[in-house]
Amino acid sequence: PEGPPRPRTVWLGHPEKREQRYPRNVINNQKYNFFTFLPGVLFNQFKYFFNLYFLLLACSQFVVEMRLGALYTYWVPLGFVLAVTVIREAAEEIRCYMRDKEVNSQIYSKLTARGGLSFSTARAFMLTFAKNQRCHLDGETDWKLRLPVSCTQRLPTASDLLQIRSYVYAEEPNIDIHNFVGTFTREDSDPPVNESLSIENTLWASTVIASGTVVGVVLYTGRELRSVMNTSNPRSKIGLFDLEVNCLTKILFGALVVVSLVMVALQHFAGRWYLQIIRFLLLFSNIIPISLRVNLDMGKIVYSWVIRRDSKIPGTVVRSSTIPEQLGRISYLLTDKTGTLTQNEMVFKRLHLGTVAYGLDSMDEVQSHIFSIYTQQAQEPPAVKGLSVATKVRRTMSSRVHEAVKAIALCHNVTPVYESNGVTDQAEAERHYEDSCRVYQASSPDEVALVQWTESVGLTLVGRDQSSVQLRSPGGHILNFTILQIFPFTYESKRMGIIVRDESTGEITFYMKGADVVMAGIVQYNDWLEEECGNMAREGLRVLVVAKKSLTEEQYQDFEARYVQAKLSVHDRSLKVATVIESLEMEMELLCLTGVEDQLQTDVRPTLETLRNAGIKVWMLTGDKLETATCTAKNAHLVTRTQDIHIFRLVTNRGEAHLELNAFRRKHDCALVISGDSLEVCLKYYEYEFMELACQCPAVVCCRCAPTQKAQIVRLLQERTGKLTCAVGDDNSIEGKQASLAADFSITQFKHLGRLLMVHGRNSYKRSAALSQFVIHRSLCISTMQAVFSSVFYFASVPLYQGFLIIGYSTIYTMFPVFSLVLDKDVKSEVAMLYPELYKDLLKGRPLSYKTFLIWVLISIYQGSIIMYGALLLFESEFVHIVAISFTSLILTELLMVALTIQTWHWLMIVAELLSLSCYIASLVFLHEFIGECSFLHTDVYFIATLSFLWKVTVITLVSCLPLYVLKYLRRRFSPPSYSKLTS
């Protein structure tokens, strides 16, 4: 339906009660359809000046007064360029269509009123999913707990869902994947049941079911899917290299206009001079090579293919094949920490109780305390008199350890799943709680690490469902707890909580764990929390604060009534629910601190050192606290041992930010560590000053950063510096694999980034620079020859070459050798990795600059002039052979230039040279009778075979090339390039 998305009410088993029409469950990611494909592609091509210019040139040949030759001379090259573009776009559209077709043809099991299953493509409203069946938008590989509607769990069979009178109210479709507001209502019960629905009750499209069978109600379809709403249209990025090439073509166009005006001016603007200007514009149009864009685009395809085929960076995916050269000019690298620099595999390292701390070397003491508590509970009567002081102290410490461990074992969202031979057998395995079959599933590796640690010290999580938790004591007894409420962790609250009832004692306890910044205001006053959190963070540990609060039955009943009422609210539900929970979060008893360590990925340190030596400044953006981020930066060698670290003081207003910026300005060669709150204040009042100072730092660490702040920093860095930035991480606005799908390049490990930039990025940029210069050189040579030819013959607008020669020169005779430069490399990949300083030279843009462009322009003018004047001088008595002489010399010059430029020969380069030369010779021998327009081919084939022709053409070619390479040799002799010593 047209208009904004609306909320909906979906009745179970009663489609006739549908209040509105819903989109078809079809996903369409294609840019065009059958009718709009060709017009759309052509429009996108001709909206740019470069292609529009050549279209106007080709169309001008329909005007007889402007025609300079056969129509195909202009239309064939233009048609070839467009054909390559159309084929590439068509291939991408076909791949996109096949992906959409696969998704849209997916078959789902549909629940029917008769109790059976039929199959459909998810256009029905009651679908079933079994274990391992894909039904994850957020892309995370960690498991997430999802809860069914509780009032439907007592129905005898799944088909009874279609017999009861019930409906689901759902909010309007939106892009927020972390929240959902809805209600489930059953009207045929007495009294009617209203149950709140939140994110825990939902399954997004493509979710993988971990265990059991799920029956779901389809609420959103087609374009209203949140995965579709979060998917932006793919944009074709234009790299800095392409912009530079585009700028050079504009300069060439300016030169074309100037040369044409000079030619007409030398004719004293006689006759219909304006037509002469147009004819000269057409005559010298080769100054701007139409093949430049095709060669560069095909080069990008080769670079992308080489990256994907590199066995040393397996699994690398290139999703944006238009910007591989960008990898060779990165100035700033912005990286996430967790899962990027680290493995996102947590190891429990520290338990801190305030007066005592337990590390890895003292975990046996924790185990001893737990064992003694449960042993004494089993053996001793409730009241024991005559205990010694030492025993009382030990029991007090044991009870503190026990309370902490029990809280950690209960306050989480971990579910133990039992598998036997890879197949889940819940009923049989759970009956005996076999440790060998148990696997922990959770939405966070932190929680799994905590639960695995409680198991190692004797308190094992053996069972978990929606309403209960089972723990096993060291003596093998099962401890049963009823789950009354769960408050999941969110990025806004930075904490999670659970209310449980101990079935053996009836005690109700509220447990909570979270970040120290929020828990400090929740727990009772103490004098050690802040200090110990800082100490643990400085060791690189991720710290959680664990607390508890005992509740009476009356307190809990009062809370539950207010909580249920808030959850049923449709408007401002989140705010109302948070207010009710906060009423419970007061004066909680601080139990302990936990510290887990996230191990660095393999070879992170040498990779960061390589990037630093290459002149790339690395910024780490993380959500961890300041001490943890600083410790990780040191451990990963993001900050060297000799560098000072300036920790930006917490600022809250403009005045404080001004003073702190002044203090920071006095530091030199100093790494910066700043929190997200301080960063926000600085960017609000002193954006320019802060970015100027930060960009001078060798490294920057931004801690406590939200995902939106990370994106803001990337944008500011690009805008303020104008330099190329590379953002690396497994998270953006959408986490995990969705982030990977949105990336230009995907790598499996951080260490692969070094080779991707140092080898592939460097080679891609240098190769494209050489390729573009040679293509421009090839066109400028023939344009210079045309200019010389016209000036000799009284500035007449007469074409030197026509038809087959014009097309053949830039395609079959010279294209393969020139394009083979995409395989050239100045140093071996091992050398490029060993000496990352070679990468630093590219940051100045020297391989393709105005200086190198001017040098190649002068070379082209010199060679074009030598070839043309040489042909006129050496063969003045045989003027009829000028075309054959100059054209042959031109081709040999281009082939020789390529051969003398190549630094590392590849067998395909040799094939390209020989193939091009063979094609030219073959065309002289076999095509002279069929190509009448090229008169020298059918009249002078015997003359071309004479020794006189051959040695004079050789002289012209050598004179045009060798002086240039003598100068190049002398320059390399007295001013060698940076890599020359490495390759000697």
Side-chain angles (χ1 to χ4, degrees):
E2 298 298 330
R6 294 179 292 169
R8 68 276 319 273
T9 299
V10 180
W11 287 82
L12 276 64
H14 298 281
E16 70 278 359
K17 293 187 177 183
R18 184 174 57 188
E19 299 174 353
Q20 56 179 292
R21 294 179 59 85
Y22 303 105
R24 294 175 64 240
N25 193 40
V26 173
I27 295 174
N28 184 7
N29 291 308
Q30 296 171 250
K31 292 185 289 186
Y32 313 101
N33 58 37
F34 179 79
F35 299 101
T36 62
F37 172 73
L38 194 57
V41 172
L42 294 178
F43 173 77
N44 286 330
Q45 289 299 306
F46 292 127
K47 70 180 180 182
Y48 297 107
F49 170 77
F50 187 83
N51 290 330
L52 182 61
Y53 165 74
F54 286 107
L55 177 64
L56 294 175
L57 285 184
C59 291
S60 69
Q61 295 305 286
F62 290 112
V63 180
V64 177
E65 294 173 316
M66 299 180 184
R67 184 175 299 173
L68 292 178
L71 288 175
Y72 66 80
T73 304
Y74 292 88
W75 282 100
V76 169
L78 180 61
F80 176 75
V81 171
L82 293 178
V84 170
T85 302
V86 169
I87 292 172
R88 185 186 63 192
E89 289 285 340
E92 292 183 359
E93 284 292 286
I94 291 173
R95 285 196 296 268
C96 187
Y97 169 77
M98 297 304 294
R99 289 195 298 266
D100 289 348
K101 183 179 179 181
E102 181 181 359
V103 174
N104 295 330
S105 302
Q106 188 171 354
I107 301 299
Y108 294 87
S109 301
K110 173 186 172 184
L111 187 66
T112 63
R114 297 178 180 178
L117 295 175
S118 64
F119 300 95
S120 72
T121 54
R123 294 183 177 87
F125 279 99
M126 294 297 293
L127 304 179
T128 66
F129 301 93
K131 184 199 173 188
N132 288 333
Q133 187 173 349
R134 186 170 293 274
C135 148
H136 17 209
L137 174 60
D138 61 1
E140 292 185 357
T141 56
D142 302 309
W143 297 104
K144 291 178 173 58
L145 181 65
R146 288 297 183 253
L147 306 176
V149 180
S150 59
C151 68
T152 63
Q153 302 307 294
R154 294 182 292 273
L155 296 174
T157 63
S159 60
D160 290 328
L161 285 167
L162 303 178
Q163 307 301 325
I164 63 176
R165 184 177 176 81
S166 59
Y167 62 87
V168 174
Y169 169 83
E171 64 179 347
E172 70 278 0
N174 60 72
I175 65 173
D176 188 356
I177 65 170
H178 298 296
N179 293 289
F180 172 76
V181 176
T183 58
F184 180 86
T185 303
R186 181 175 179 180
E187 292 185 339
D188 60 348
S189 63
D190 188 21
V193 176
N194 284 310
E195 188 169 335
S196 171
L197 301 179
S198 63
I199 191 71
E200 287 80 22
N201 305 110
T202 61
L203 292 176
W204 301 137
S206 297
T207 298
V208 177
I209 307 299
S211 61
T213 301
V214 177
V215 180
V217 179
V218 178
L219 298 178
Y220 307 115
T221 55
R223 63 175 180 271
E224 292 184 345
L225 286 174
R226 298 198 180 190
S227 58
V228 175
M229 297 178 76
N230 273 280
T231 303
S232 58
N233 292 327
R235 54 194 181 101
S236 182
K237 291 187 177 181
I238 300 177
L240 178 60
F241 181 84
D242 292 314
L243 295 176
E244 291 173 343
V245 170
N246 189 53
C247 184
L248 296 182
T249 58
K250 291 178 181 178
I251 295 174
L252 292 174
F253 178 74
L256 169 63
V257 174
V258 169
V259 171
S260 301
L261 289 174
V262 169
M263 285 295 184
V264 176
L266 292 174
Q267 291 180 332
H268 307 291
F269 294 98
R272 301 168 69 181
W273 57 270
Y274 49 88
L275 283 178
Q276 283 298 312
I277 290 178
I278 296 176
R279 286 178 63 86
F280 276 118
L281 286 173
L282 294 168
L283 196 63
F284 300 139
S285 61
N286 284 320
I287 287 180
I288 303 176
I290 191 173
S291 59
L292 178 60
R293 178 59 53 202
V294 174
N295 277 273
L296 289 178
D297 285 349
M298 291 193 301
K300 295 174 193 289
I301 294 173
V302 173
Y303 308 148
S304 302
W305 182 83
V306 171
I307 291 173
R308 288 193 296 265
R309 297 276 295 181
D310 190 344
S311 60
K312 295 185 179 179
I313 49 173
T316 301
V317 179
V318 181
R319 290 191 173 85
S320 183
S321 60
T322 60
I323 54 171
E325 301 93 349
Q326 301 279 75
L327 297 173
R329 306 175 68 180
I330 301 298
S331 297
Y332 291 92
L333 178 76
L334 299 100
T335 176
D336 185 29
K337 183 181 81 71
T338 305
T340 304
L341 297 180
T342 60
Q343 301 177 23
N344 202 21
E345 294 180 1
M346 308 299 177
V347 179
F348 191 94
K349 291 283 189 176
R350 185 73 52 83
L351 177 71
H352 206 298
L353 300 178
T355 57
V356 63
Y358 297 97
L360 288 178
D361 56 348
S362 56
M363 288 304 172
D364 55 337
E365 295 184 32
V366 177
Q367 189 175 13
S368 175
H369 284 304
I370 298 297
F371 183 80
S372 66
I373 282 289
Y374 285 100
T375 302
Q376 291 173 8
Q377 285 179 354
Q379 296 178 353
E380 295 180 359
V384 179
K385 297 181 181 180
L387 291 176
S388 66
V389 174
T391 304
K392 289 180 179 179
V393 171
R394 177 167 179 79
R395 286 201 62 183
T396 302
M397 180 54 66
S398 296
S399 62
R400 289 180 59 192
V401 172
H402 169 246
E403 282 297 324
V405 174
K406 185 170 74 170
I408 297 170
L410 289 172
C411 188
H412 53 72
N413 259 325
V414 180
T415 302
V417 174
Y418 294 84
E419 298 184 352
S420 179
N421 296 325
V423 179
T424 301
D425 187 359
Q426 291 291 109
E428 182 66 26
E430 287 185 1
R431 189 176 301 131
H432 301 95
Y433 297 127
E434 298 176 5
D435 292 346
S436 61
C437 302
R438 185 172 52 251
V439 176
Y440 292 122
Q441 295 178 348
S443 60
S444 169
D446 301 62
E447 295 207 311
V448 173
L450 293 174
V451 172
Q452 287 175 337
W453 174 76
T454 64
E455 178 183 357
S456 70
V457 296
L459 202 57
T460 306
L461 173 68
V462 293
R464 171 76 177 260
D465 57 29
Q466 187 178 350
S467 59
S468 65
V469 176
Q470 290 79 41
L471 302 180
R472 186 175 62 200
S473 69
H477 296 94
I478 302 300
L479 311 176
N480 292 294
F481 297 85
T482 300
I483 299 175
L484 301 178
Q485 299 292 345
I486 296 180
F487 314 116
F489 173 88
T490 65
Y491 287 105
E492 292 78 19
S493 67
K494 295 183 174 64
R495 59 190 183 274
M496 72 87 58
I498 187 171
I499 301 177
V500 297
R501 176 187 280 117
D502 189 336
E503 289 301 305
S504 62
T505 63
E507 294 177 352
I508 299 176
T509 309
F510 173 34
Y511 292 106
M512 175 167 283
K513 68 180 180 185
D516 60 309
V517 289
V518 295
M519 295 296 290
I522 293 175
V523 300
Q524 297 171 348
Y525 173 77
N526 62 86
D527 57 0
W528 60 272
L529 176 61
E530 182 178 356
E531 180 183 357
E532 294 304 334
C533 284
N535 292 336
M536 292 172 68
R538 277 185 283 275
E539 297 178 32
L541 303 180
R542 300 182 70 173
V543 183
L544 282 176
V545 180
V546 183
K548 80 166 188 175
K549 185 177 186 178
S550 297
L551 303 176
T552 64
E553 188 68 35
E554 292 76 16
Q555 286 176 321
Y556 173 71
Q557 292 300 334
D558 174 65
F559 165 80
E560 184 184 35
R562 292 183 290 116
Y563 185 63
V564 170
Q565 190 64 33
K567 287 180 68 177
L568 288 174
S569 176
V570 175
H571 302 289
D572 297 326
R573 177 188 291 183
S574 298
L575 179 60
K576 294 176 181 178
V577 169
T579 302
V580 174
I581 296 176
E582 286 174 5
S583 68
L584 206 61
E585 300 173 339
M586 293 185 298
E587 292 298 307
M588 298 188 70
E589 178 187 350
L590 175 58
L591 296 177
C592 66
L593 306 181
T594 64
V596 296
E597 184 181 36
D598 194 357
Q599 302 289 328
L600 289 176
Q601 285 195 16
T602 307
D603 292 337
V604 162
R605 294 187 182 98
T607 300
L608 287 174
E609 186 176 353
T610 295
L611 298 176
R612 187 167 55 248
N613 292 336
I616 300 174
K617 294 184 177 181
V618 182
W619 291 28
M620 186 175 78
L621 316 177
T622 176
D624 283 342
K625 64 181 302 176
L626 186 143
E627 292 85 356
T628 306
T630 305
C631 182
T632 303
K634 292 179 179 177
N635 290 341
H637 293 178
L638 177 65
V639 178
T640 63
R641 298 183 183 274
T642 59
Q643 285 176 344
D644 292 330
I645 297 178
H646 177 80
I647 298 179
F648 205 90
R649 188 170 57 87
L650 182 64
V651 297
T652 58
N653 55 55
R654 183 169 188 161
E656 292 177 352
H658 179 73
L659 292 174
E660 190 63 18
L661 283 172
N662 285 339
F664 178 44
R665 186 175 282 109
R666 292 190 289 269
K667 301 292 183 70
H668 299 285
D669 192 32
C670 181
L672 172 66
V673 179
I674 185 171
S675 66
D677 293 336
S678 299
L679 177 66
E680 189 173 354
V681 174
C682 290
L683 294 180
K684 182 178 180 180
Y685 297 111
Y686 298 103
E687 179 183 299
Y688 177 80
E689 291 83 354
F690 173 78
M691 294 302 297
E692 182 182 25
L693 291 172
C695 290
Q696 296 173 3
C697 296
V700 176
V701 177
C702 298
C703 57
R704 293 297 191 199
C705 269
T708 52
Q709 277 186 312
K710 297 178 183 180
Q712 182 186 13
I713 293 169
V714 174
R715 286 193 298 269
L716 282 175
L717 204 54
Q718 291 174 327
E719 294 169 2
R720 292 298 180 188
T721 65
K723 301 292 182 63
L724 290 179
T725 61
C726 176
V728 185
D730 64 344
D731 68 328
N732 47 25
S733 60
I734 302 175
E735 299 272 340
K737 291 183 180 178
Q738 188 72 8
S740 173
L741 294 174
D744 298 313
F745 302 87
S746 296
I747 54 178
T748 57
Q749 297 183 55
F750 185 83
K751 67 177 183 179
H752 293 167
L753 188 63
R755 185 173 178 85
L756 186 65
L757 300 183
M758 300 302 111
V759 177
H760 295 289
R762 185 174 182 274
N763 286 342
S764 297
Y765 177 44
K766 291 183 71 71
R767 290 166 174 174
S768 285
L771 179 62
S772 60
Q773 289 165 341
F774 254 96
V775 173
I776 291 173
H777 162 265
R778 184 174 63 189
S779 299
L780 277 175
C781 278
I782 198 169
S783 297
T784 300
M785 292 172 63
Q786 179 65 64
V788 171
F789 182 79
S790 297
S791 62
V792 168
F793 294 100
Y794 310 102
F795 312 107
S797 55
V798 178
L800 174 61
Y801 306 130
Q802 292 182 353
F804 176 78
L805 295 184
I806 295 292
I807 299 173
Y809 169 65
S810 59
T811 54
I812 58 175
Y813 296 151
T814 60
M815 183 185 74
F816 297 115
V818 172
F819 187 71
S820 70
L821 290 172
V822 300
L823 302 174
D824 192 22
K825 54 184 177 182
D826 54 354
V827 296
K828 295 181 179 180
S829 58
E830 294 79 11
V831 175
M833 288 296 296
L834 189 60
Y835 299 96
E837 292 80 7
L838 295 173
Y839 186 92
K840 193 180 298 185
D841 292 340
L842 306 187
L843 301 181
K844 301 175 183 178
R846 289 176 177 172
L848 183 66
S849 61
Y850 290 116
K851 178 182 178 181
T852 58
F853 172 70
L854 179 60
I855 291 173
W856 277 99
V857 169
L858 295 176
I859 290 174
S860 303
I861 293 174
Y862 166 76
Q863 291 184 325
S865 301
I866 288 295
I867 293 171
M868 197 68 247
Y869 280 117
L872 291 171
L873 291 175
L874 292 178
F875 294 89
E876 187 175 0
S877 59
E878 300 172 319
F879 183 76
V880 70
H881 302 313
I882 291 298
V883 173
I885 299 161
S886 61
F887 192 72
T888 304
S889 300
L890 177 64
I891 291 176
L892 292 178
T893 296
E894 194 67 27
L895 297 181
L896 185 58
M897 284 287 288
V898 172
L900 294 176
T901 300
I902 292 173
Q903 300 179 79
T904 304
W905 280 90
H906 188 281
W907 67 270
L908 285 175
M909 296 175 172
I910 300 174
V911 171
E913 290 273 343
L914 296 178
L915 180 63
S916 297
L917 186 60
S918 301
C919 287
Y920 181 64
I921 295 173
S923 64
L924 296 178
V925 176
F926 299 108
L927 301 180
H928 63 277
E929 296 181 357
F930 304 101
I931 309 175
E933 186 178 352
C934 304
S935 57
F936 84 93
L937 287 177
H938 71 273
T939 58
D940 297 330
V941 65
Y942 299 108
F943 164 74
I944 290 173
T946 62
L947 291 176
S948 174
F949 172 83
L950 294 176
W951 83 262
K952 290 182 179 180
V953 165
T954 303
V955 169
I956 294 174
T957 303
L958 293 177
V959 172
S960 68
C961 293
L962 286 187
L964 298 175
Y965 281 89
V966 171
L967 292 175
K968 184 177 181 179
Y969 171 79
L970 293 175
R971 180 177 179 274
R972 290 172 64 93
R973 176 74 175 175
F974 297 104
S975 180
S978 57
Y979 58 82
S980 59
K981 294 181 180 180
L982 307 179
T983 55
S984 62

